[in-house]
Amino acid sequence: MIYRTYCKEIPEQLDDITNSFCNKPMGGLWGCRGNEWKNWCKAEHHRLDHLKQVFYWTLADNAKCYRIHTEEDFIKLIKKYGNTKYDSIDYMQMKKDYDAIEVVGNVVYELRYGCKDTGHRFIDMMGLNAWDIPSICVMNTDKVVRLRYAK
């Protein structure tokens, strides 16, 4: 699978993964499978200056990626990595087991406003609301295989 990252410039070093209150990881390398990010930015008039370059990449063959295709996949993730202290997913802990996390297809829209009762009130309420589009976040960026840049 080839992913795209739109950016003003490709940073030489990426930020380490940290947890956030919005139920998605902060840092790492973010990308998408097609033009979803570009289309979303144009529709929302968001970071249009970041659409100047696109970086094409793929994951290394030995990379472990947790893919969320369904609500059940999301609930399994919550049950394993739910952090009761912050009532969010502990991506820093998840990084020890997985190199990347990807939200695939329409599940990002289906879980936009919450999911079944998992015992994590904030996660149940937020669902995947902070994930704007189907996308991937690489938490262990040594698993990124650089392909090419384009303008």
Side-chain angles (χ1 to χ4, degrees), residues 22-24 68 70 74 77 89 91 101 103-104 107-115 123 125-133:
C22 66
N23 204 26
K24 74 176 186 181
I68 300 172
T70 64
F74 186 52
L77 180 74
I89 294 168
Y91 292 100
I101 179 171
V103 177
V104 182
V107 72
V108 72
Y109 308 113
E110 293 164 5
L111 297 181
R112 170 79 17 110
Y113 300 108
C115 63
I123 296 173
M125 183 176 65
M126 287 293 292
L128 292 171
N129 191 33
W131 295 69
D132 300 310
I133 61 165

Side-chain angles (χ1 to χ4, degrees), residues 71-72 74-76 78-79 87 111 113-127:
E71 183 175 23
E72 287 71 32
F74 186 52
I75 290 170
K76 285 179 192 173
I78 294 166
K79 287 185 177 187
D87 206 11
L111 297 181
Y113 300 108
C115 63
K116 296 176 186 169
D117 181 16
T118 63
H120 293 272
R121 191 173 149 269
F122 184 72
I123 296 173
D124 296 343
M125 183 176 65
M126 287 293 292

Side-chain angles (χ1 to χ4, degrees), residues 83-88:
N83 181 330
T84 54
K85 181 177 180 184
Y86 299 106
D87 206 11
S88 65

Side-chain angles (χ1 to χ4, degrees), residues 17 34 55 68 92 96 110 123 126 138 145:
I17 287 295
F55 168 45
I68 300 172
M92 292 164 56
K96 295 175 184 176
E110 293 164 5
I123 296 173
M126 287 293 292
V138 182
V145 178

